[in-house]
Amino acid sequence: GVKETGMLTPSSDYHIFYKLKKNRRQAFNDYLEVVEAAWEAGIRPRCHLEDVTRADIEGYVMPFVSELVKRSEQVDPDLHVKIRLCDTMGFGVPSPGAALPRSIPKLIHRMVNDCGVPQDCLEWHGHNDFHKVHVNGATAWLYGCDAVNTTLFGFGERTGNPPLEGSIFEFIALKGE
């Protein structure tokens, strides 16, 4: 009865090399194999690009996400892959003038415009290491993420995630509702 599942797909070299003990090609292929297995089982995959704000966006993340989008076109639209951008260490910044991989606006722009990720298949998962979790979540919404992961009162892994109660008011203010 499972309709959708999240799968951790670490994207930074630190996580690929040191945590997984793989090279980029091995990780890339292994992730695709698991995504294909989900599709074969009729389950929508949600790929959690762990540590994306420390990843090689052009050399690794974009080719991987582009391949996911390409393969999604071959399956039922209800099974199209979702992409979760995970700011694992809280290094993301809300400025469009910042460099990749730190700039949330640039990161989202590249995913939507260069990789073809539909906005309704893109979400943000931030951490509060540098006290920007709330503004980074709002920035993700402003620049095209359909969803922002939140927790009650901001309690979450390590330093916390965006607080649900503050995010609701922020979303209302941003959308003019």
Side-chain angles (χ1 to χ4, degrees):
V2 174
K3 296 191 184 323
E4 182 173 311
T5 190
M7 34 185 84
L8 199 55
T9 52
S11 60
S12 71
D13 286 348
Y14 182 84
H15 283 256
I16 292 169
F17 296 142
Y18 298 112
K19 178 179 167 182
L20 299 179
K21 308 269 189 252
K22 298 181 180 200
N23 63 43
R24 286 179 176 183
R25 178 54 48 198
Q26 289 170 317
F28 190 103
N29 291 335
D30 288 351
Y31 300 161
L32 289 177
E33 186 177 321
V34 175
V35 168
E36 291 285 347
W39 282 328
E40 288 175 20
I43 299 171
R44 176 182 233 169
R46 172 185 274 132
C47 290
H48 303 185
L49 299 180
E50 183 182 27
D51 207 23
V52 75
T53 55
R54 292 196 297 172
D56 179 352
I57 302 303
E58 292 188 19
Y60 183 77
V61 173
M62 288 179 57
F64 176 61
V65 171
S66 294
E67 184 64 24
L68 288 171
V69 170
K70 179 179 146 193
R71 291 183 185 206
S72 279
E73 294 168 358
Q74 307 304 313
V75 299
D76 184 302
D78 290 337
L79 298 179
H80 283 187
V81 69
K82 289 185 178 181
I83 303 297
R84 176 185 281 178
L85 302 172
C86 301
D87 187 15
T88 304
M89 300 300 295
F91 286 144
V93 294
S95 173
L100 283 172
R102 305 289 200 259
S103 173
I104 296 164
K106 283 181 181 172
L107 184 58
I108 294 168
H109 178 83
R110 300 301 298 271
M111 294 298 107
V112 172
N113 295 297
D114 297 339
C115 296
V117 178
Q119 290 181 351
D120 66 338
C121 290
L122 192 60
E123 64 183 82
W124 179 256
H125 181 89
H127 287 266
N128 203 30
D129 299 72
F130 298 99
H131 308 285
K132 293 189 295 283
V133 74
H134 192 70
V135 69
N136 285 347
T139 299
W141 270 324
L142 279 173
Y143 283 86
C145 275
D146 189 57
V148 171
N149 301 156
T150 64
T151 58
L152 191 58
F153 305 119
F155 295 127
E157 179 186 8
R158 290 184 3 273
T159 60
N161 305 104
L164 173 62
E165 57 283 0
S167 297
I168 289 170
F169 288 108
E170 191 73 21
F171 183 80
I172 292 167
L174 291 172
K175 300 300 179 179
E177 298 175 7

PDB file of all heavy atoms in Angstrom, residues 66-78:
ATOM      1  N   SER A  66      18.931  15.703 -13.766  1.00  0.00           N
ATOM      2  CA  SER A  66      18.479  15.678 -15.162  1.00  0.00           C
ATOM      3  C   SER A  66      18.141  14.257 -15.606  1.00  0.00           C
ATOM      4  O   SER A  66      17.148  14.035 -16.311  1.00  0.00           O
ATOM      5  CB  SER A  66      19.543  16.277 -16.080  1.00  0.00           C
ATOM      6  OG  SER A  66      19.708  17.645 -15.813  1.00  0.00           O
ATOM      7  N   GLU A  67      18.949  13.301 -15.186  1.00  0.00           N
ATOM      8  CA  GLU A  67      18.677  11.900 -15.531  1.00  0.00           C
ATOM      9  C   GLU A  67      17.394  11.417 -14.852  1.00  0.00           C
ATOM     10  O   GLU A  67      16.596  10.692 -15.461  1.00  0.00           O
ATOM     11  CB  GLU A  67      19.855  11.010 -15.135  1.00  0.00           C
ATOM     12  CG  GLU A  67      19.711   9.562 -15.548  1.00  0.00           C
ATOM     13  CD  GLU A  67      19.655   9.332 -17.055  1.00  0.00           C
ATOM     14  OE1 GLU A  67      20.165  10.169 -17.827  1.00  0.00           O
ATOM     15  OE2 GLU A  67      19.081   8.300 -17.468  1.00  0.00           O
ATOM     16  N   LEU A  68      17.176  11.820 -13.611  1.00  0.00           N
ATOM     17  CA  LEU A  68      15.938  11.460 -12.923  1.00  0.00           C
ATOM     18  C   LEU A  68      14.719  12.031 -13.645  1.00  0.00           C
ATOM     19  O   LEU A  68      13.712  11.336 -13.825  1.00  0.00           O
ATOM     20  CB  LEU A  68      15.962  11.962 -11.479  1.00  0.00           C
ATOM     21  CG  LEU A  68      16.891  11.248 -10.514  1.00  0.00           C
ATOM     22  CD1 LEU A  68      16.963  12.005  -9.199  1.00  0.00           C
ATOM     23  CD2 LEU A  68      16.441   9.815 -10.284  1.00  0.00           C
ATOM     24  N   VAL A  69      14.809  13.289 -14.059  1.00  0.00           N
ATOM     25  CA  VAL A  69      13.693  13.933 -14.767  1.00  0.00           C
ATOM     26  C   VAL A  69      13.450  13.223 -16.098  1.00  0.00           C
ATOM     27  O   VAL A  69      12.295  12.942 -16.462  1.00  0.00           O
ATOM     28  CB  VAL A  69      13.969  15.436 -14.960  1.00  0.00           C
ATOM     29  CG1 VAL A  69      12.949  16.064 -15.900  1.00  0.00           C
ATOM     30  CG2 VAL A  69      13.977  16.156 -13.614  1.00  0.00           C
ATOM     31  N   LYS A  70      14.515  12.920 -16.810  1.00  0.00           N
ATOM     32  CA  LYS A  70      14.397  12.218 -18.101  1.00  0.00           C
ATOM     33  C   LYS A  70      13.708  10.865 -17.917  1.00  0.00           C
ATOM     34  O   LYS A  70      12.793  10.514 -18.667  1.00  0.00           O
ATOM     35  CB  LYS A  70      15.792  12.034 -18.703  1.00  0.00           C
ATOM     36  CG  LYS A  70      15.829  11.312 -20.010  1.00  0.00           C
ATOM     37  CD  LYS A  70      17.271  11.228 -20.499  1.00  0.00           C
ATOM     38  CE  LYS A  70      17.490   9.936 -21.235  1.00  0.00           C
ATOM     39  NZ  LYS A  70      18.888   9.655 -21.468  1.00  0.00           N
ATOM     40  N   ARG A  71      14.141  10.117 -16.912  1.00  0.00           N
ATOM     41  CA  ARG A  71      13.537   8.801 -16.679  1.00  0.00           C
ATOM     42  C   ARG A  71      12.102   8.919 -16.161  1.00  0.00           C
ATOM     43  O   ARG A  71      11.284   8.038 -16.421  1.00  0.00           O
ATOM     44  CB  ARG A  71      14.394   7.988 -15.715  1.00  0.00           C
ATOM     45  CG  ARG A  71      15.718   7.574 -16.342  1.00  0.00           C
ATOM     46  CD  ARG A  71      16.534   6.711 -15.426  1.00  0.00           C
ATOM     47  NE  ARG A  71      17.829   6.422 -16.003  1.00  0.00           N
ATOM     48  CZ  ARG A  71      18.538   5.349 -15.716  1.00  0.00           C
ATOM     49  NH1 ARG A  71      18.088   4.455 -14.868  1.00  0.00           N
ATOM     50  NH2 ARG A  71      19.722   5.182 -16.278  1.00  0.00           N
ATOM     51  N   SER A  72      11.798   9.992 -15.453  1.00  0.00           N
ATOM     52  CA  SER A  72      10.428  10.215 -14.966  1.00  0.00           C
ATOM     53  C   SER A  72       9.444  10.339 -16.108  1.00  0.00           C
ATOM     54  O   SER A  72       8.272   9.980 -15.970  1.00  0.00           O
ATOM     55  CB  SER A  72      10.367  11.487 -14.117  1.00  0.00           C
ATOM     56  OG  SER A  72      10.794  11.269 -12.813  1.00  0.00           O
ATOM     57  N   GLU A  73       9.912  10.868 -17.225  1.00  0.00           N
ATOM     58  CA  GLU A  73       9.038  11.051 -18.380  1.00  0.00           C
ATOM     59  C   GLU A  73       8.571   9.724 -18.961  1.00  0.00           C
ATOM     60  O   GLU A  73       7.618   9.685 -19.729  1.00  0.00           O
ATOM     61  CB  GLU A  73       9.758  11.881 -19.439  1.00  0.00           C
ATOM     62  CG  GLU A  73      10.015  13.308 -18.980  1.00  0.00           C
ATOM     63  CD  GLU A  73      10.971  14.084 -19.876  1.00  0.00           C
ATOM     64  OE1 GLU A  73      11.497  13.506 -20.866  1.00  0.00           O
ATOM     65  OE2 GLU A  73      11.201  15.271 -19.588  1.00  0.00           O
ATOM     66  N   GLN A  74       9.218   8.628 -18.560  1.00  0.00           N
ATOM     67  CA  GLN A  74       8.878   7.304 -19.080  1.00  0.00           C
ATOM     68  C   GLN A  74       7.889   6.558 -18.190  1.00  0.00           C
ATOM     69  O   GLN A  74       7.493   5.441 -18.524  1.00  0.00           O
ATOM     70  CB  GLN A  74      10.155   6.461 -19.226  1.00  0.00           C
ATOM     71  CG  GLN A  74      11.262   7.128 -20.021  1.00  0.00           C
ATOM     72  CD  GLN A  74      10.833   7.550 -21.413  1.00  0.00           C
ATOM     73  OE1 GLN A  74      10.204   6.770 -22.137  1.00  0.00           O
ATOM     74  NE2 GLN A  74      11.156   8.771 -21.805  1.00  0.00           N
ATOM     75  N   VAL A  75       7.508   7.167 -17.061  1.00  0.00           N
ATOM     76  CA  VAL A  75       6.591   6.495 -16.128  1.00  0.00           C
ATOM     77  C   VAL A  75       5.319   7.317 -15.966  1.00  0.00           C
ATOM     78  O   VAL A  75       5.244   8.466 -16.399  1.00  0.00           O
ATOM     79  CB  VAL A  75       7.258   6.259 -14.743  1.00  0.00           C
ATOM     80  CG1 VAL A  75       8.487   5.377 -14.873  1.00  0.00           C
ATOM     81  CG2 VAL A  75       7.595   7.562 -14.045  1.00  0.00           C
ATOM     82  N   ASP A  76       4.356   6.724 -15.318  1.00  0.00           N
ATOM     83  CA  ASP A  76       3.086   7.387 -15.024  1.00  0.00           C
ATOM     84  C   ASP A  76       3.349   8.720 -14.312  1.00  0.00           C
ATOM     85  O   ASP A  76       4.174   8.773 -13.398  1.00  0.00           O
ATOM     86  CB  ASP A  76       2.273   6.452 -14.119  1.00  0.00           C
ATOM     87  CG  ASP A  76       0.892   6.979 -13.807  1.00  0.00           C
ATOM     88  OD1 ASP A  76       0.784   8.096 -13.258  1.00  0.00           O
ATOM     89  OD2 ASP A  76      -0.081   6.262 -14.075  1.00  0.00           O
ATOM     90  N   PRO A  77       2.684   9.798 -14.704  1.00  0.00           N
ATOM     91  CA  PRO A  77       2.891  11.093 -14.047  1.00  0.00           C
ATOM     92  C   PRO A  77       2.710  11.067 -12.530  1.00  0.00           C
ATOM     93  O   PRO A  77       3.349  11.838 -11.818  1.00  0.00           O
ATOM     94  CB  PRO A  77       1.850  12.008 -14.706  1.00  0.00           C
ATOM     95  CG  PRO A  77       1.596  11.381 -16.041  1.00  0.00           C
ATOM     96  CD  PRO A  77       1.748   9.904 -15.831  1.00  0.00           C
ATOM     97  N   ASP A  78       1.858  10.169 -12.033  1.00  0.00           N
ATOM     98  CA  ASP A  78       1.678  10.049 -10.583  1.00  0.00           C
ATOM     99  C   ASP A  78       2.914   9.484  -9.891  1.00  0.00           C
ATOM    100  O   ASP A  78       3.002   9.514  -8.665  1.00  0.00           O
ATOM    101  CB  ASP A  78       0.478   9.168 -10.256  1.00  0.00           C
ATOM    102  CG  ASP A  78      -0.845   9.834 -10.611  1.00  0.00           C
ATOM    103  OD1 ASP A  78      -0.892  11.086 -10.687  1.00  0.00           O
ATOM    104  OD2 ASP A  78      -1.840   9.102 -10.816  1.00  0.00           O
TER     105      ASP A  78
END
